[in-house]
Amino acid sequence: MRFELTPRPNVSPVMRALAPAAAFVTAFLIAGFVIWLMGRSPIAAFDVYVLQPLSDSWSLQELLVKATPLALIAIGLSYCFRANLWNIGAEGQYVIGAVLGSWLALKTHGTEAGAWVLPLMLILGIIGGALYGLIPAFLKTRFGVNEILTSLMLVYVAQLILDYLVRGPWRDPKGFNFPQSVTFDPSATLHPILEGGRVHFGAVFALIAVLLTAVILGRTLFGYRLKLTGDAPRAARFAGFSSKATTMAVFAISGGLAGLAGISEVSGQIGQLQPSISPGYGFTAITVAFLGRLNPIGILIAALVVALTFIGGESAQIMLKLPLDLTQAFQGILLLCVLAADALVSYRIRFVSRGGGK
């Protein structure tokens, strides 16, 4: 006895819309079972992970802070995924964008440079991420190299570059030998939206990216080009759309938004370079993109939901003595549940005997 997945002739829009919610509930049930096996109360864990962060003003601000890079990166990834191209290296593009943008902050440190520094830092962050994203795109279009492998391996290259810089030439000489750069000047800092608040203007960039992407994907020829390339590559070629140009374009956009997320996080949240500037935003954004069904508004909502797991995971580590790795495990379970829900919505399970009968 074996089973096959056969396409459903008609997929219910309601089922497709409810699939992410069902996946999220299923992931929570699985996580609750694991927490129960670890000797903790699943109800107490749900309270710490979900309810408490939503009832505290500081946690709500932190929710927006953590959702900002997730939304920016996931929006960029949606361009690639819609074209059936797999950019798994957004984490590396995030790091390189932060590094290139921070170069200007360190170059102008202590010089009393004007207001031009921060905008140019943001532009450099976008350029750095875009150029780094173009590397796997070029290797794919020129040599046919699998973009999954190259983009993923380039993540580790980017992390090693950052580690070398903060331990070597960019290390703060007055930092007691800690592997970190000097603290950025006020002119190189992305300030909070509200005085004394935690939410910086990176959140505005994320909202703008969501709105622009909604228009581009839904109402422009480029958006139709991505959809056609992803759904029917042969038809896209007959329509005159170059697959190579599409690959280069979506990787540049994806990398640029990841780079913007990186420099926004460093200049707005951290204030300096250090060996670790991300808890894994680039990889988690893959889950966010699929949880949001590659829809810009859905991605924004998914970024807020997944950001809640980061905050809840930190609280659970303190209050329930649960390992922080459990949060990453939950995010992985969530991605598997999302993919499984999509498969069950689009396909019907059909059991087949070895002789070929049903």
Side-chain angles (χ1 to χ4, degrees), residues 66-252:
K66 293 190 180 300
T68 293
L70 288 175
L72 274 171
I73 299 171
I75 283 293
L77 290 175
S78 69
Y79 285 87
C80 287
F81 296 159
R82 277 177 173 263
N84 202 24
L85 295 165
W86 299 94
N87 180 10
I88 310 299
E91 181 82 359
Q93 294 143 27
Y94 170 98
V95 170
I96 293 299
V99 167
L100 189 58
S102 298
W103 166 82
L104 182 62
L106 299 178
K107 199 73 174 176
T108 59
H109 180 72
T111 63
E112 298 183 0
W116 59 270
V117 174
L118 182 60
L120 191 53
M121 283 173 58
L122 297 174
I123 293 173
L124 286 175
I126 295 172
I127 292 173
L131 291 177
Y132 208 65
L134 284 172
I135 296 175
F138 171 75
L139 293 174
K140 178 180 179 63
T141 56
R142 183 67 177 82
F143 302 106
V145 181
N146 187 290
E147 75 274 16
I148 297 175
L149 297 177
T150 52
S151 61
L152 179 60
M153 289 189 291
L154 283 169
V155 171
Y156 304 105
V157 175
Q159 291 173 339
L160 289 172
I161 290 173
L162 172 62
D163 192 74
Y164 162 74
L165 291 172
V166 297
R167 295 180 189 275
W170 288 4
R171 185 170 58 186
D172 182 4
K174 299 179 181 179
F176 301 100
N177 215 31
F178 283 102
Q180 60 190 29
S181 72
V182 296
T183 302
F184 294 170
D185 290 335
S187 61
T189 300
L190 195 61
H191 296 289
I193 298 174
L194 299 176
E195 188 68 29
R198 293 270 297 159
V199 183
H200 53 73
F201 277 94
V204 178
F205 301 154
L207 187 59
I208 292 173
V210 167
L211 297 176
L212 284 177
T213 299
V215 173
I216 291 171
L217 295 181
R219 297 182 178 276
T220 67
L221 180 62
F222 184 70
Y224 173 73
R225 173 179 183 164
L226 298 187
K227 179 176 175 56
L228 187 61
T229 301
D231 294 343
R234 189 177 179 185
R237 289 195 296 272
F238 284 141
F241 298 139
S242 168
S243 61
K244 293 184 178 180
T246 301
T247 300
M248 299 294 283
V250 295
F251 268 86

